[in-house]
DNA sequence: TACGATAAACTTTTT
DNA sequence: GTTTATCGTA
């Protein structure tokens, strides 16, 4: 079958037809880049390139599967020989085959963030350091950033950090575990140091493509360079304006300086947008033009006009959420937009809570993408820990988990003793045998451990002749795990049992996709991304962080919580100016997800950490906001207040909860603060963000944030020349100069 | 040793 | 407002 290039625009077509040498495709949001990549792969194959010689790196497994599917449909042939994967999956597969070069076992475990943290905790405790002063999370981030820098032998700066770093590596090595960063690091190490291996891969992959190149980090760029042979047939596709992963080491210079790294690069710019209305694009262009670190680019579309963009000023986060739900209902019903064509985007995960509550109250089906991953749920991790100790008999982390659920009477004390043996370098089986024979435990502990060892041996035997799904079913039965869940917490048992059901059926499905061993399943479960978990065809409203929305598009998009301190978030505001640029790119990504309808909103009061805080509206809204607002032309623009009868509102008769609710509502209202007043006359004054106040010592300043209420209310004021000061309103006798 | 109650910390964003 | 750490008790 002939690949049809006629439907491509000239730039797209040129990108497809340029198959030799380095190629940079600058692909603006919605400019059809997935289409370019898939067509290009089909075109290559049509030119006689074997699918075996093609490698394409995508950002998520979902994107990879979609591409494979499209190519399979387009060419009407099996795509099994094509390598389209994510960086991490590629490396995991590589290492399962090649890790022998580094004198290591191929049965390694892939540790996720939780495992890493608990490993670091143990290490820090082992060094007799105080966990308060040396938080595991901090070092996890630090080491991860370090490993992604591209220098394979990078060391942390300070002596104490180095000690923790080395102890961590030693511990990981003893457990034969790799973290996400190790996957890339060790792959680069092998390819760099072993020429025989490198040439094998270089000879195989004649054509390499990388999607979302703006979000690759130094080590990923390095990996690509190691895989490339002298022909440099590399095509990267990306958009510097959508670079949003700087914090995990993504280096925007990879794409900005691509032509420097690869002399002779041909560049094609895709600026025609096939997704959004002109109105949305104008807004997006205006937003992103404020950034310095970019090459000029302007998206355009053949469709003119479009619906106006709504910017909503909400009183509280609850109002914001409720108005979003009501808009969804209205648009869904009157415009027949399917529910899965709605997305609500936010900066941080915690913001989803209000939304979820409101969607449940209105009984609108939704799915939350991201947050707690399916494979991170307690019941799933419990069961996977049994699988992991079978696959990798050195995984102490999973061993401690498995032996503790359901509890067997082996606690910290006994585990310490067992660890003493394990730490001598034995694997789990040997360790258990020795502890039992040497009677290192006694009484109940010994009996429990013996039973556990026997069960362990059975699991190992079963792994050889049962499919993953049957294997796990056996384990669940044997543990009487469902009963355990019931006993733990009857309320959540049903939900958790459903998850286990889902896990089993996922395993069955994957068996069809040739994931037939426990080890393959482990890799799969460790490397799923948020987007991979999204159901795209079920009628549910989507909620996710903007990071998780990368690459997706929807008819109607709500971007909520646009408040300084939340989006852009506080860290970005205090860190450095580049951070604000990255936040702005993030906002740009959010805006360009929308095809037809875009709603932006912020709330004057928001519940965070259990207290009410108040932030000024986001700086991203300021400049372009007004000129785009046009309340008359869109009936959905007006906030839907007063509310229709609330579904699920409190019933009569429950007096105490009614009183509590009234008190809450009173507390939500603007708080009256007593500022002392003049001549003994106490005059309560309201204070809000945006007010200008005078302080006896600091002079005049603008209120940028308020926290709490009443006696405990604190006010953050920006005093020009002095800086930001956070004051307890009751104590600092502020005089209001301007009322916002 | 397990489990409850209470205190403290916690919020960027993810493979 | 939620999760995690620690302490005290059965």
């Amino acid at each position: 079958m002939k690949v049809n290039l006629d439907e491509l625009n000239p730039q797209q077509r040129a990108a497809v037809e340029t198959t030799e040498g380095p190629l940079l495709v600058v692909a603006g949001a919605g400019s059809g880049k997935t289409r370019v990549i898939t067509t290009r792969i089909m075109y290559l194959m049509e030119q006689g390139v074997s699918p075996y010689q093609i490698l394409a790196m995508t950002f998520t497994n979902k994107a990879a599967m979609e591409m494979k599917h499209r190519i399979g449909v387009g060419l009407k042939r099996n795509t099994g020989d094509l390598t389209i994967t994510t960086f991490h999956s590629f490396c995991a597969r590589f290492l399962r085959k090649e890790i022998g070069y580094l004198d290591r076992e191929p049965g390694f475990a892939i540790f996720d963030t939780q495992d890493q943290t608990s490993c670091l905790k143990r290490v820090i405790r082992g060094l007799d350091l105080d966990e308060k002063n040396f938080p595991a999370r901090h070092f996890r981030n630090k080491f991860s950033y370090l490993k992604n820098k591209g220098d394979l032998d990078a060391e942390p700066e300070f002596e104490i950090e180095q000690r923790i770093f080395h102890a961590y590596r030693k511990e990981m090595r003893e457990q034969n575990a790799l973290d996400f960063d190790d996957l890339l690091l060790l792959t680069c190490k092998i390819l760099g140091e072993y020429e025989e291996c490198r040439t094998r891969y270089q000879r195989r992959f004649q054509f390499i493509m990388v999607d979302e190149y703006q979000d690759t980090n130094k080590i990923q760029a390095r990996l690509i360079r190691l895989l490339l042979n002298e022909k440099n047939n590399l095509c990267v596709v990306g958009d510097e304006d959508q670079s949003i992963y700087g914090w995990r080491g993504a280096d925007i210079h990879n794409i900005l300086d691509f032509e420097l790294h690869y002399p002779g690069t041909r560049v094609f710019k895709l600026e025609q947008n096939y997704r959004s209305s002109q109105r949305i694009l104008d807004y997006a262009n205006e937003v992103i033009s404020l950034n310095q670190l970019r090459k000029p680019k302007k998206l355009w579309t053949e469709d003119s006009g479009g619906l106006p963009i709504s910017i909503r000023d909400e009183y509280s986060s609850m109002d914001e959420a409720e108005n979003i739900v009501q808009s969804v209902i209205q648009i869904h019903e009157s415009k027949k937009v399917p529910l899965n064509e709605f997305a609500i985007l936010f900066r941080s995960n915690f913001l989803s809570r209000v939304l979820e509550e409101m969607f449940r109250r209105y009984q609108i089906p939704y799915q939350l993408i991201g947050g707690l991953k399916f494979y991170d749920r307690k019941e799933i991790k419990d069961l996977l820990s049994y699988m992991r100790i079978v696959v990798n008999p050195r995984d102490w982390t999973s061993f401690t988990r498995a032996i503790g659920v359901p509890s067997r009477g082996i606690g910290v004390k006994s585990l310490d003793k067992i660890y003493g043996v394990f730490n001598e370098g034995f694997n789990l089986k040997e360790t258990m045998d020795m502890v039992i024979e040497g009677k290192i435990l006694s009484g109940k502990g010994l009996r429990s451990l013996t039973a556990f060892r026997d069960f362990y041996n059975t699991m190992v035997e079963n792994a050889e002749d049962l499919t993953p799904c049957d294997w796990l079913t056996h384990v669940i039965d044997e543990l009487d795990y469902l009963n355990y869940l019931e006993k733990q917490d009857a309320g959540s048992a049903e939900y958790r049992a459903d998850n286990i059901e889902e896990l089993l059926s996922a395993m069955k499905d994957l068996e069809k996709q040739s994931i037939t061993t426990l080890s393959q399943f482990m890799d799969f479960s460790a490397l799923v991304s948020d987007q991979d978990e999204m159901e795209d065809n079920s009628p549910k409203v989507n909620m996710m962080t903007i990071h998780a929305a990368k690459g997706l598009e929807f008819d109607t998009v709500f971007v909520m919580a646009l408040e300084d301190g939340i989006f852009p978030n506080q860290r970005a505001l205090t860190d450095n100016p580049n951070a604000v640029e990255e936040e702005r790119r993030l906002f740009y990504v959010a805006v360009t997800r929308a095809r037809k309808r875009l709603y932006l909103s912020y709330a004057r009061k928001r519940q965070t950490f259990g207290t009410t805080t108040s932030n000024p509206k986001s700086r991203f809204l300021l400049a372009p906001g007004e000129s785009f607002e046009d309340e008359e032309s869109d009936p959905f623009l007006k906030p839907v207040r007063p509310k229709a009868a609330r579904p699920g509102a409190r019933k009569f008769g429950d007096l105490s909860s009614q009183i509590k609710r009234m008190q809450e509502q009173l507390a939500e209202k603007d708080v009256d603060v007593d500022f002392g007043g003049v001549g003994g006359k106490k005059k309560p004054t309201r204070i809000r963000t945006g007010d200008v106040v005078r302080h006896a010592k600091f002079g005049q300043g603008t209120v940028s944030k308020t926290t709490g209420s009443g006696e405990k209310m604190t006010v953050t004021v920006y005093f020009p020349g002095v800086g930001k000061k956070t004051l307890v309103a009751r104590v600092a006798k502020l005089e209001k100069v301007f009322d916002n």
Side-chain angles (χ1 to χ4, degrees), chain A residues 108-125 136-137 139-140 143 147 168-169 171-173 175-180 182 375-378 380-389 392 394-402 522-523 525-527:
Chain A
F108 58 82
I110 299 171
F111 272 18
D112 66 19
T113 317
Q114 285 176 40
D115 304 325
Q116 260 185 78
T117 312
S118 72
C119 178
L120 267 165
K121 265 187 193 155
R122 212 174 24 252
V123 162
I124 290 165
R125 257 188 286 234
R137 286 172 32 104
F139 289 98
R140 174 166 52 70
F143 296 162
K147 290 183 184 179
Y168 171 67
R169 296 204 122 172
E171 173 88 18
M172 292 288 282
R173 175 103 200 211
Q175 295 192 39
N176 196 18
L178 303 182
D179 61 32
F180 292 130
D182 290 334
Y375 289 98
D376 286 344
R377 289 180 194 167
K378 188 189 159 297
I380 305 294
K381 286 212 85 172
D382 284 350
L383 294 175
L384 289 187
S385 69
Y386 282 89
M387 199 181 289
R388 285 166 56 152
I389 52 178
N392 173 21
R394 294 195 179 273
D395 190 338
W396 178 259
T397 309
S398 299
F399 177 74
T400 55
R401 183 177 195 120
M522 298 293 338
D523 284 0
S525 67
L527 299 174

Side-chain angles (χ1 to χ4, degrees), chain A residues 562-577:
Chain A
L562 283 155
E563 293 135 44
D564 265 21
I566 293 190
F567 190 14
N569 73 18
Q570 202 52 52
R571 288 234 178 112
L573 292 175
T574 39
D575 278 5
N576 60 63

Side-chain angles (χ1 to χ4, degrees), chain A residues 246-420:
Chain A
W247 50 272
R248 73 170 193 207
D251 193 337
I252 194 169
H253 292 284
N254 280 350
I255 193 164
L256 287 173
D257 302 337
F258 185 78
E259 296 153 80
L260 292 175
H261 299 316
Y262 291 95
T265 294
R266 299 195 57 187
V267 183
F268 297 106
K269 271 192 193 181
L270 310 183
E271 289 174 298
Q272 182 174 2
N273 176 293
Y274 298 93
R275 179 187 296 158
S276 309
S277 73
Q278 187 63 50
R279 265 240 182 52
I280 290 170
L281 290 182
D282 287 346
Y283 187 80
N285 281 327
E286 193 163 336
V287 165
I288 201 65
S289 67
L290 295 168
N291 268 13
Q292 304 298 313
L293 202 64
R294 68 189 292 264
K295 294 175 181 171
K297 177 158 47 64
K298 207 160 189 171
L299 295 177
W300 61 277
T301 172
E302 281 178 349
D303 294 336
S304 58
L307 295 167
I309 293 158
S310 156
I311 298 180
R312 284 181 185 166
D313 170 2
E314 301 282 10
Y315 176 72
S316 72
S317 45
M318 279 82 90
D319 284 352
E320 183 183 43
E322 189 153 16
N323 278 321
I324 290 175
V325 187
Q326 295 198 3
S327 301
V328 168
I329 295 171
Q330 281 192 32
I331 299 169
H332 172 61
E333 285 174 354
S334 66
K335 305 284 176 188
K336 302 287 172 243
V337 177
L339 288 180
N340 56 338
E341 279 294 346
F342 291 90
I344 303 155
L345 308 181
F346 34 80
R347 176 63 241 257
S348 321
N349 280 310
F350 78 91
L351 295 163
S352 69
R353 200 162 300 139
V354 225
L355 274 178
E356 283 194 88
E357 203 176 294
M358 208 55 85
F359 272 80
R360 266 202 296 270
R361 201 185 279 181
Y362 277 82
Q363 299 189 9
I364 303 297
Y366 66 89
Q367 59 175 332
L368 181 66
I369 290 115
L372 187 59
K373 283 211 187 70
F374 181 76
Y375 289 98
D376 286 344
R377 289 180 194 167
K378 188 189 159 297
E379 61 278 16
I380 305 294
K381 286 212 85 172
D382 284 350
L383 294 175
L384 289 187
S385 69
Y386 282 89
M387 199 181 289
R388 285 166 56 152
I389 52 178
V390 170
V391 173
N392 173 21
R394 294 195 179 273
D395 190 338
W396 178 259
T397 309
S398 299
F399 177 74
T400 55
R401 183 177 195 120
I403 211 161
V405 281
S407 51
R408 293 182 168 80
I410 297 177
V412 193
K413 282 258 165 65
S414 310
L415 274 173
D416 273 350
K417 286 183 191 158
I418 303 172
Y419 187 71

Side-chain angles (χ1 to χ4, degrees), chain A residues 145 177 513 557 676:
Chain A
Y145 193 80
Q513 290 174 45
V557 169

Side-chain angles (χ1 to χ4, degrees), chain A residues 19-23 53 202-203 205-207 227-234 262-263:
Chain A
T19 56
E20 311 277 310
L23 171 65
Q53 298 179 310
Q202 287 186 345
R203 221 173 302 148
F205 294 119
Q206 295 290 326
F207 295 89
L227 288 169
L228 270 179
N229 58 34
E230 64 292 341
K231 290 188 197 138
N232 276 343
N233 289 334
L234 170 65
Y262 291 95

Side-chain angles (χ1 to χ4, degrees), chain A residues 138 163 166 636:
Chain A
H138 167 84
R163 270 172 54 201
H166 289 143
F636 303 120

